[in-house]
Amino acid sequence: MLPRQEWLDEARKLDWELSYVRPEDAFPAVQSGRPWLEHGAWKHWDEPFRTTFGEYVGNQSAKDEAVFAVREALGRLRDYRRLDPVWLNALKLHGATLPLAEFAAVVGNLRAARFGRDSAWRLTATFGALDEFRHTQIPLVLLHELVKLDPQFDWVHRFYHSNNWVAIAARHLFDELLLASDAIEFAIATNFVFETGFTNLQFVGLSALAREVGDKCFERMVASIQTDEARHAQIGRQVLEVVVREDPGYAQHLVDKWFWRSWLVFAIVTGFSMDYFTPLEARRASFKEFMREWVVDQFGRSLADLGLSKPWYWDTFIESLDWYHHMVYASAYTYRSTVWFDFVVPSPEDRAWLRAKYPRSWPDLDPVWERIVERWRAADVGNDFAVHGTAIVAFCDLCQLVLCGGTPKRNTATSLERAGRRYIFCSEPCRRIFEQEPERYASHECLVERVLAGRAPANLIALVQRYFGLTQEDWGKDIARGNYAWLHRQAR
Ligand SMILES: [Fe+2]
Ligand SMILES: [Fe+2]
Ligand SMILES: [Zn+2]
């Protein structure tokens, strides 16, 4: 057999001059993306892993075996029963929002595997597509076991097939990011911004917390997934370098747009998990500290290396590190029956920790929890709806999430009129993203419009049951049903 170095480049870099079809027909801009450049502009495309198919298959099968060995040893129901029940809600949140999004990422990678402009890019994207199958299947199979423990785990599979409001928001993001993007936008949005900027947070940061919590299975699962992400994320930087050279304004636009959209989803999925669902004794750093290290510093540095600026809303983003996930958590707590996982009221010790970690924002957020605690003191144990919102809230017409921008004193919601319709946004960046491509977003109906049009019930309980598909058994509750030892409820 030829040694690897003698054939690898021949196999990876296999492009040729097309003779009976025009390159712009073989690689139309609508699929390949813009700027549309002659192949010469891409021919130096490379990435450091330089994996062969044989190596790929061998490595992946060894990784799968390692994950399944951990599952055999530590992934049984009795192992999960030993964990703090609050932590399991991080698994429900992760399991519902990410594995089937990874399945959509198969499609994005396959588009690049066909329409990426250099053969080495296409090959790396082919491995990326295979990776994403693995990232769908492993969590589905590992978490399926937990349905026996708690019916809310059924939402790991059900979530994206529902009209739950979080699913509407997640589809709005992931359909555009993973299914509708051309190969260049996919490379910059998914491979560079999402996978280089943010998945480290969930897959490395949260994996470290899982170890502290004692959840070996989750720890090993996400660490195994991250080794794949780190490889195919390389596509992003290599594509971005070419786009920065040829059309720096467009490169900056894509980074700005996708950084904001990715931030909002990770603020919820990772922010809730780190600052609320990780038991206090297992916490090492706050979500904000993880964000500072993994995203603000590292991602900020890669932007500078590439000659790009920080997104135009950087100050707003830095400000929101102190507020956004706390605002959404408090709102979602108040509407917990609308989601598929349970919430915990931060204990006095949790609140002291949050105050220490978020000295700028917690003094304004703490009174919200004080009121919730007062309401629970006045209510009977188990009477969740005594401490629950009833009116349907409003959602952002871009991110489709509740209008939680800003602070309890100053919400940053902003609106705009277009073709006789009024649109409302949670923040300036969401509004700007919409204004830059209104034809892409204008026809989407947010939940409130579906209610106004009579397609979804206006009564909250009917909405939760008939439109979101939740039942009394699996909708979100207060994890202690209001029965916290520290709450000192007076006997009545
Ligand atoms: Fe993935
Ligand atoms: Fe990925
Ligand atoms: Zn928004």
Side-chain angles (χ1 to χ4, degrees), residues 244-306:
V244 168
R245 195 167 65 226
E246 303 287 339
D247 190 347
Y250 183 57
Q252 186 76 50
H253 159 74
L254 290 180
V255 167
D256 291 1
K257 165 182 167 186
W258 288 108
F259 186 84
W260 185 255
R261 300 213 67 189
S262 307
W263 152 241
L264 298 180
V265 69
F266 281 100
I268 295 173
V269 176
T270 320
F272 284 19
S273 300
M274 287 182 170
D275 284 354
Y276 294 94
F277 294 152
T278 300
L280 190 57
E281 61 280 6
R283 286 183 216 158
R284 291 295 169 268
S286 67
F287 173 61
K288 181 185 171 182
E289 287 165 333
F290 275 109
M291 279 295 297
R292 285 241 164 238
E293 180 184 347
W294 293 98
V295 181
V296 178
D297 295 351
Q298 294 189 17
F299 189 73
R301 253 198 314 278
S302 0
L303 289 179
D305 287 351
L306 282 154

Side-chain angles (χ1 to χ4, degrees), residues 132 195 229 232:
E132 304 297 6
E195 292 172 342
E229 300 292 351
H232 63 244

Side-chain angles (χ1 to χ4, degrees), residues 131-192:
D131 291 340
E132 304 297 6
F133 274 121
R134 196 175 165 259
H135 304 174
T136 310
Q137 290 172 333
I138 290 176
L140 286 184
V141 77
L142 294 186
L143 296 173
H144 182 257
E145 182 77 2
L146 301 187
V147 178
K148 292 180 208 149
L149 185 71
D150 182 337
Q152 290 180 328
F153 277 102
D154 194 34
W155 279 76
V156 169
H157 202 281
R158 230 159 82 200
F159 177 72
Y160 278 105
H161 303 287
S162 80
N163 274 323
N164 182 273
W165 67 272
V166 188
I168 293 173
R171 278 199 298 268
H172 190 279
L173 168 75
F174 288 124
D175 284 2
E176 182 183 6
L177 176 70
L178 305 170
L179 301 177
S181 284
D182 59 55
I184 287 176
E185 184 163 4
F186 179 82
I188 294 174
T190 303
N191 300 132
F192 182 73

Side-chain angles (χ1 to χ4, degrees), residues 45-56:
W45 197 99
D46 208 350
E47 48 80 30
F49 282 81
R50 300 167 49 82
T51 309
T52 70
F53 186 70
E55 290 161 356
Y56 179 81

Side-chain angles (χ1 to χ4, degrees), residues 176-385:
E176 182 183 6
L177 176 70
L178 305 170
L179 301 177
S181 284
D182 59 55
I184 287 176
E185 184 163 4
F186 179 82
I188 294 174
T190 303
N191 300 132
F192 182 73
V193 177
F194 199 88
E195 292 172 342
T196 314
F198 285 94
T199 55
N200 272 326
L201 263 188
Q202 181 77 6
F203 291 88
V204 185
L206 198 59
S207 160
L209 295 182
R211 184 169 56 238
E212 301 293 335
V213 169
D215 187 352
K216 286 265 178 260
C217 217
F218 184 82
E219 179 201 343
R220 297 296 288 273
M221 171 180 89
V222 290
S224 175
I225 288 175
Q226 182 59 23
T227 58
D228 297 353
E229 300 292 351
R231 171 171 33 70
H232 63 244
Q234 293 296 326
I235 295 171
R237 190 186 172 98
Q238 315 300 321
V239 171
L240 190 50
E241 277 174 13
V242 175
V243 179
V244 168
R245 195 167 65 226
E246 303 287 339
D247 190 347
Y250 183 57
Q252 186 76 50
H253 159 74
L254 290 180
V255 167
D256 291 1
K257 165 182 167 186
W258 288 108
F259 186 84
W260 185 255
R261 300 213 67 189
S262 307
W263 152 241
L264 298 180
V265 69
F266 281 100
I268 295 173
V269 176
T270 320
F272 284 19
S273 300
M274 287 182 170
D275 284 354
Y276 294 94
F277 294 152
T278 300
L280 190 57
E281 61 280 6
R283 286 183 216 158
R284 291 295 169 268
S286 67
F287 173 61
K288 181 185 171 182
E289 287 165 333
F290 275 109
M291 279 295 297
R292 285 241 164 238
E293 180 184 347
W294 293 98
V295 181
V296 178
D297 295 351
Q298 294 189 17
F299 189 73
R301 253 198 314 278
S302 0
L303 289 179
D305 287 351
L306 282 154
L308 289 164
S309 309
K310 289 177 174 139
W312 62 270
Y313 49 75
W314 195 253
D315 293 344
T316 305
F317 159 66
I318 295 290
E319 178 73 12
S320 67
L321 290 175
D322 277 309
W323 296 97
Y324 184 67
H325 67 297
H326 297 309
M327 295 282 287
V328 185
Y329 187 83
S331 309
Y333 178 85
T334 315
Y335 282 89
R336 56 200 176 278
S337 72
T338 66
V339 299
W340 67 99
F341 52 91
D342 293 338
F343 286 77
V344 62
V345 176
S347 70
E349 293 76 30
D350 288 319
R351 280 158 64 180
W353 184 87
L354 289 160
R355 186 181 292 272
K357 293 293 184 186
Y358 296 89
R360 290 187 58 239
S361 56
W362 197 258
D364 281 353
L365 293 157
D366 199 64
V368 175
W369 291 105
E370 200 43 53
R371 268 198 302 282
I372 287 171
V373 169
E374 285 308 320
R375 292 273 291 271
W376 267 121
R377 268 199 197 110
D380 291 328
V381 167
N383 184 8
D384 255 55
F385 281 95

